[in-house]
């Protein structure tokens, strides 16, 4: 799918985004193992989750490509480590039910992530400033060519219009997760689980097109976009763990 982007610089940028995302996932795996091997104590998942959100917000709001690389790498490592540690209790519980749950959840997460990314990349269209005049088709078969012309001049990055919807969905899922702490309810759990899975999948596609838009606007900060992809991956993986755990229980 990267070949369809048609820009060597953009391909390199997106490759850096995905490689950094993979590194973040690897660091999270290390972080999830630390409480298991006794390097750090097993904590309530909300504690490292707060640390993850805090470092994520700081990285996105207070740092950019001009920030000291060592400082930024340390913050990125802390964010991903916190994310991994927040997953440790679930990994321990579900692995005790069935040792295959975690690897299967990881594989399914990769498939969902890859499918959403490929779908978003397939929607990418080059800029066009040419106004094309077409004559009315004379037979039904010619509608096909007209449809193709219309597709060529459709606004690029069609998923950008979903930003308000995805933002509202994120607020809803976060609010439901907080409410469920004080008022446990199966409805809240289902919203968090299924709504959150749908939301994270949509956000992968949105962030893919957003990264392309940012590059075309002059943004070369691949770390920022990698962090968004990483957070989406964690959201999907956490829910796949729970879905497979429920099925196995």
């Amino acid at each position: 799918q990267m070949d369809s982007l048609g820009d060597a610089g953009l391909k390199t940028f997106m490759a850096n985004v995905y490689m950094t995302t993979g590194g973040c996932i690897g660091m999270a795996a290390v972080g999830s193992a630390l409480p298991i091997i006794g390097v750090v104590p097993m904590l309530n998942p909300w504690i490292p989750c707060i640390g993850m959100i805090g470092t994520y917000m700081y990285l996105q709001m207070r740092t950019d490509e001009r920030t000291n690389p060592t400082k930024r790498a340390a913050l990125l490592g802390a964010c991903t480590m916190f994310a991994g540690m927040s997953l440790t209790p679930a990994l321990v519980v579900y692995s005790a039910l069935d040792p295959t749950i975690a690897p299967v959840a990881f594989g399914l997460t990769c498939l969902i992530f890859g499918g959403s990314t490929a779908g978003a990349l397939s929607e990418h269209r080059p800029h066009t400033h040419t106004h094309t005049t077409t004559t009315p088709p004379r037979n039904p078969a010619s509608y096909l060519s007209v449809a193709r012309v219309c597709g060529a001049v459709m606004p690029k990055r069609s998923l950008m219009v979903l930003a308000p919807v995805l933002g509202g969905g994120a607020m809803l899922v976060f609010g439901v997760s907080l409410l469920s702490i004080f008022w446990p309810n199966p409805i809240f759990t289902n919203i968090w689980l299924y709504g959150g899975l749908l939301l994270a999948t949509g956000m992968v596609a949105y962030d893919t097109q957003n990264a392309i838009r940012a590059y075309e606007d002059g943004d070369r900060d691949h770390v920022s976009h990698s962090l968004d992809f990483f957070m989406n991956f964690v959201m999907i993986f956490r829910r796949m763990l729970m879905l497979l755990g429920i099925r196995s229980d």
Side-chain angles (χ1 to χ4, degrees), residues 60-129:
Q60 297 294 57
M61 298 175 66
R62 302 295 299 273
T63 70
D64 54 32
E65 64 270 21
R66 297 167 294 180
T67 303
N68 182 289
T70 302
K71 174 184 177 181
R72 206 175 192 205
L75 287 168
L76 185 62
C79 180
T80 55
M81 285 282 191
F82 282 134
M85 292 169 63
S86 72
L87 290 169
T88 303
L91 288 169
V92 171
V93 170
Y94 293 129
S95 294
L97 288 175
D98 185 345
T100 66
I101 287 179
V104 171
F106 181 81
L108 291 174
T109 301
C110 290
L111 287 175
I112 293 172
F113 189 96
S116 184
T117 299
L121 289 176
S122 69
E123 290 295 317
H124 177 82
R125 299 184 180 92
H127 284 293
T128 177
H129 302 287

Side-chain angles (χ1 to χ4, degrees), residues 168-182:
M171 293 296 295
L172 174 63
V173 171
F174 182 72
V176 164
S177 65
L178 291 178
L179 280 175
S180 63
I181 298 175
F182 307 102

